[in-house]
Amino acid sequence: MSRIGKQPVTIPSGVEVTFKEGKLNVKGTKGTLVFAPHARVVIKIEDGKIIVERKSEEILDRSLHGLTRTLVANMVEGVTKGFFKKLEIQGVGYRAEVIAGKKLKLALGFSHPIEYTAKEGILFEIDKEKKNIITVSGIDKSLVGQVASELRGLRPPEPYKGKGIRYLGEQIRRKAGKAATAAAKGGA
């Protein structure tokens, strides 16, 4: 039995969960999420808990068991608390600006500013004190991670000066430049 899959997901107060026609609907204070689980996984709702079971002991069923339970738990947490990821912009002249909470205008050292429109259910915020920190928030954990990854991909941190977009707290391995290499060899 999967250690994660066999744990029931507790439904907190204020969250409404229904399972009809092969779709799990989770409705909470922050919004509604819909999930269609794999046909080889059984979802039951009883006594204020969501129980995920598998149909057999095949490898596919075992792998889907823990995954489905985790996805359901993330849905319940998302509609109650929500998820967020923080990104940090480093570089001279690199900055971000939020337009109406849904659009992000980025100056990343290119000849033109980049405009990134948020997907449905995603909000952007810029830290008021530190203008170089972007917060991506939403109720769908996978969507928040995907948008944060796409933003980081617009200008990934480079290894020589560290300029670019990185996750807050991410460590970048730095490389020595030409001058440091020449000095180590004994001059130029």
Side-chain angles (χ1 to χ4, degrees):
M1 204 60 182
S2 170
R3 287 182 298 211
I4 293 173
K6 68 182 177 183
Q7 297 173 359
V9 179
T10 306
I11 302 171
S13 62
V15 176
E16 184 182 313
V17 180
T18 57
F19 186 67
K20 291 180 185 171
E21 300 170 7
K23 291 188 178 182
L24 182 73
N25 293 316
V26 181
K27 184 178 181 182
T29 56
K30 296 212 176 244
T32 304
L33 291 173
V34 179
F35 172 62
H38 197 278
R40 299 175 76 95
V41 177
V42 179
I43 294 181
K44 296 178 184 174
I45 302 167
E46 47 191 50
D47 300 328
K49 294 182 179 178
I50 304 169
I51 300 165
V52 180
E53 297 175 348
R54 58 183 178 229
K55 291 188 175 180
S56 72
E57 292 297 316
E58 291 182 27
I59 293 174
L60 178 62
D61 294 355
R62 290 187 308 183
S63 64
L64 289 171
H65 189 205
L67 171 71
T68 304
R69 189 263 176 208
T70 302
L71 292 174
V72 169
N74 286 342
M75 288 173 65
V76 171
E77 185 178 344
V79 297
T80 54
K81 300 176 191 172
F83 294 101
F84 68 91
K85 288 226 181 233
K86 292 189 179 231
L87 299 165
E88 181 181 14
I89 300 175
Q90 284 194 349
V92 177
Y94 288 20
R95 62 187 166 275
E97 179 184 348
V98 176
I99 303 168
K102 296 297 269 177
K103 249 188 186 177
L104 198 59
K105 187 176 180 182
L106 300 159
L108 299 174
F110 297 119
S111 62
H112 58 284
I114 298 171
E115 286 193 5
Y116 186 91
T117 305
K119 293 178 169 70
E120 188 66 35
I122 297 292
L123 287 175
F124 296 123
E125 290 179 34
I126 304 287
D127 194 328
K128 303 241 186 286
E129 293 172 16
K130 296 181 179 178
K131 299 278 187 189
N132 65 336
I133 296 180
I134 304 168
T135 304
V136 180
S137 59
I139 60 173
D140 189 352
K141 187 175 185 175
S142 62
L143 188 59
V144 169
Q146 178 68 32
V147 169
S149 174
E150 288 174 5
L151 286 174
R152 185 183 182 276
L154 293 174
R155 187 70 159 199
E158 53 99 10
Y160 295 101
K161 293 184 180 179
K163 298 189 315 185
I165 301 176
R166 66 178 79 188
Y167 296 111
L168 189 64
E170 179 183 3
Q171 298 293 318
I172 304 298
R173 291 186 63 192
R174 303 290 288 273
K175 291 182 179 178
K178 284 192 230 175
T181 307
K185 289 184 180 178

